[in-house]
Amino acid sequence: MQDQPHAASPETSSPETSGIPTSLFAFSLLYGGLVVLAGVLGTKIAALGHWPLLGDLAVESGIFAFLLLVVMASAVAELYGQDVANTLVRFGFVPLIVSMLLLTFVIKVVPPAPFWGDQEAYARLLGQGARMQFAGLISYGTSQTLNVYVFSRLAGGRGRLLILRAWIASLLSQMVDTLIFITISFAGVTDAAGVPLPIGEIMAGQIAAKLLLSTIMVPPLIWAFVKLGRKLDGQR
């Protein structure tokens, strides 16, 4: 009687034996975590200092996680193609929506312990209104899809001008992300005196800061992530 082949057990299975390249598996895990972390980091406004021609710049800290998302989506597009990268972006909605629902549940439904006095600060920092949550979903999906599209189409696609394609795609996607998020979040909103918020000025400052960070962070990071992905997959 011939021996029958045995299926790989959960203990011995790996991303490769499951048909998923190691780098794609690792990048997907990191991507999902950063989608959630970007919203949490965004509660702090970071100062970027004074820059010639640009002046004093400040940006919400979630941009540091979001630029990593941009880089990873571009790296996946470079390694596995546009369709796989778009799938990664779409699956990113899952942890994003789940985290929003859980935060809303914990803040609005779960009562704080009697001895814990930080409920108000917790809700102020981590709670977002429905309008801003909707803005975040729309801006995330649109900007990340645009980033993958532009990156994949420039210069004939994969294998050419990697750093330049990633930089241009990041610049465009960050501009679109800011335009969508601020417009949906703050259009028609007034301050305590009833004066409409200067969303044009807010957009200009945010776009300048994000373009600066994209220029500094994206070129070295896209090179590093593509190189790391190839190494994890056993390529040179």
Side-chain angles (χ1 to χ4, degrees):
M1 182 176 179
Q2 291 183 324
D3 293 336
Q4 297 296 319
H6 296 284
S9 66
E11 292 77 16
T12 59
S13 62
S14 66
E16 286 107 335
T17 58
S18 301
I20 303 174
T22 300
S23 67
L24 182 58
F25 181 77
F27 289 172
S28 298
L29 290 176
L30 183 57
Y31 190 95
L34 286 171
V35 167
V36 175
L37 188 59
V40 177
L41 293 176
T43 60
K44 175 179 178 177
I45 305 300
L48 300 182
H50 184 83
W51 293 80
L53 303 178
L54 298 177
D56 295 322
L57 295 180
V59 68
E60 50 89 14
S61 297
I63 184 61
F64 297 106
F66 199 84
L67 282 178
L68 284 172
L69 293 176
V70 168
V71 168
M72 279 190 290
S74 297
V76 169
E78 179 70 13
L79 295 169
Y80 304 107
Q82 182 179 351
D83 290 342
V84 176
N86 280 332
T87 300
L88 178 69
V89 170
R90 287 172 176 77
F91 272 105
F93 279 105
V94 176
L96 182 57
I97 292 173
V98 169
S99 66
M100 287 179 175
L101 292 175
L102 281 175
L103 277 172
T104 301
F105 175 74
V106 169
I107 291 171
K108 296 184 178 298
V109 178
V110 179
F115 55 83
W116 190 66
D118 294 325
Q119 172 69 12
E120 184 178 343
Y122 184 84
R124 185 176 68 253
L125 289 175
L126 297 180
Q128 287 186 333
R131 182 171 174 177
M132 292 188 70
Q133 290 181 338
F134 177 73
L137 289 171
I138 299 299
S139 61
Y140 161 77
T142 304
S143 63
Q144 283 288 74
T145 301
L146 176 65
N147 172 72
V148 170
Y149 177 82
V150 173
F151 175 81
S152 300
R153 297 297 177 179
L154 282 176
R158 296 160 68 181
R160 300 181 181 180
L161 303 177
L162 170 67
I163 291 176
L164 180 62
R165 286 187 290 128
W167 178 63
I168 293 174
S170 174
L171 296 182
L172 292 175
S173 66
Q174 289 306 297
M175 291 175 64
V176 169
D177 176 79
T178 301
L179 291 171
I180 292 175
F181 183 80
I182 292 179
T183 299
I184 295 176
S185 296
F186 302 115
V189 177
T190 59
D191 60 18
V195 179
L197 294 179
I199 61 174
E201 295 179 18
I202 296 173
M203 284 183 184
Q206 288 290 295
I207 288 174
K210 290 181 178 181
L211 296 188
L212 175 65
L213 287 175
S214 292
T215 300
I216 294 172
M217 293 177 61
V218 169
L221 285 175
I222 187 63
W223 177 85
F225 269 91
V226 170
K227 187 175 182 65
L228 175 63
R230 289 173 176 156
K231 184 175 181 179
L232 289 173
D233 294 339
Q235 304 175 24
R236 291 186 178 180

